[in-house]
Amino acid sequence: MAGHSKFKNIMHRKGAQDKKRSAMFSKLSREITVAAKMGMPDPDMNPRLRAAVNAAKAQSMPKDNIQRAIDKASKGDGENYEEVRYEGYGPGGVALIVEALTDNRNRTATNVRTAFAKNGGNLGAGGAVSHGFERLGLIEYPGAAGNEDKILEAAIEAGADDVESDDESHSVWTSVENLHEVARELEKVLGEAEGVKLAWKPNLKVDVDEDTARTLLKLVDTLDDDDDVQTVWGNYEISDEVMEKLG
């Protein structure tokens, strides 16, 4: 169990979605509906739905919106979304995994391929980069949840595998199988998490320079702007100095 490791947000820049609240709510609603359709429409009986609802609450999504998304699944309304994963390389050889929920595979594939091509990347075949990542459970808490020692102790007691902390956040890693059990135990001590999800954790991270980072973040933001794309994972590390230069 690692006690401290400077952890950068490898999905996208913190706050990148703050300007796009309505788009974010749309993506959260889509995940809630899909989760509710795949299991019971009760968050207490459906771990994936509970995680989706918690993620929505963490982003201050109104309760009415959350309930509407659950009801849509219960009534069988709306589109049928399927989960699709795309893998490829961004600028500087950075590995990227793009997870999407779509009702039109052709549209989504075209959009993702175009985003890669226009921003110095190449979309690869399935499995092109995922061998360099581990599929794990990720539980996220804000820095205000407690100091590093408190989070580490709670994580050990809950049966987590690893903890990474920085000034702003704590990331608790678990096996896929233990994700929701660990999350439940942590909630008793630390309160409700900001996020409980399945994640792709890179085995090795790549440091990128300013020019590469500028193009890479443009690619990540372009992908993130697509309504069908839920999450973008990468193996890149951007230093605080480079981030300051990029503004």
Side-chain angles (χ1 to χ4, degrees):
M1 168 93 59
H4 178 82
S5 173
K6 180 75 173 170
F7 181 67
K8 301 285 185 185
N9 188 329
I10 57 172
M11 294 178 287
H12 45 67
R13 285 174 291 176
K14 285 185 189 299
Q17 290 183 324
D18 289 352
K19 306 169 195 169
K20 320 166 208 169
R21 190 156 290 270
S22 63
M24 179 172 58
F25 283 174
S26 173
K27 293 187 183 194
L28 290 166
S29 294
R30 190 178 292 196
E31 169 61 19
I32 290 169
T33 301
V34 169
K37 276 187 177 180
M38 291 179 70
M40 297 282 288
D42 178 357
D44 291 331
M45 303 294 290
N46 181 336
R48 178 169 174 175
L49 177 57
R50 178 173 172 75
V53 169
N54 284 350
K57 286 179 179 176
Q59 296 298 335
S60 303
M61 186 170 168
K63 288 182 180 178
D64 289 348
N65 293 34
I66 294 173
Q67 191 57 50
R68 202 175 302 126
I70 294 174
D71 291 343
K72 188 183 288 188
S74 303
K75 297 172 185 173
D77 295 343
E79 301 84 354
N80 285 314
Y81 295 107
E82 58 178 320
E83 295 175 283
V84 190
R85 185 174 84 233
Y86 303 95
E87 303 182 25
Y89 291 96
V94 166
L96 295 173
I97 296 177
V98 182
E99 294 182 311
L101 287 174
T102 180
D103 59 348
N104 186 326
R105 270 177 174 259
N106 291 335
R107 178 192 65 223
T108 309
T110 298
N111 290 349
V112 170
R113 188 176 292 109
T114 300
F116 270 84
K118 287 187 174 179
N119 294 284
N122 290 290
L123 188 62
V129 303
S130 55
H131 57 81
F133 292 74
E134 282 185 273
R135 189 61 160 162
L136 297 172
L138 173 61
I139 305 159
E140 297 168 307
Y141 277 94
N147 63 29
E148 193 180 317
D149 289 339
K150 178 182 178 182
I151 304 298
L152 181 60
E153 184 178 343
I156 291 172
E157 287 295 319
D161 296 332
D162 197 7
V163 178
E164 293 175 320
S165 297
D166 63 22
D167 295 338
E168 298 177 349
S169 62
H170 303 284
S171 300
V172 180
W173 295 94
T174 77
S175 67
V176 171
E177 296 77 20
N178 294 339
L179 173 61
H180 293 288
E181 182 181 338
V182 172
R184 271 197 303 271
E185 292 304 310
L186 284 176
E187 189 171 327
K188 295 174 185 175
V189 180
L190 303 174
E192 204 165 87
E194 272 190 338
V196 179
K197 66 188 83 169
L198 294 178
W200 292 96
K201 185 181 183 185
N203 296 323
L204 289 172
K205 283 186 270 213
V206 178
D207 282 308
V208 296
D209 59 26
E210 184 180 344
D211 289 339
T212 301
R214 183 178 289 108
T215 311
L216 173 63
L217 291 176
K218 187 181 176 189
L219 168 57
V220 172
D221 283 346
T222 300
L223 289 166
D224 194 53
D225 283 342
D226 191 288
D227 289 342
D228 296 335
V229 173
Q230 292 294 104
T231 321
V232 182
W233 304 93
N235 70 342
Y236 57 89
E237 185 90 52
I238 303 175
S239 70
D240 292 339
E241 292 77 17
V242 169
M243 286 302 292
E244 282 174 18
K245 289 179 184 177
L246 295 175

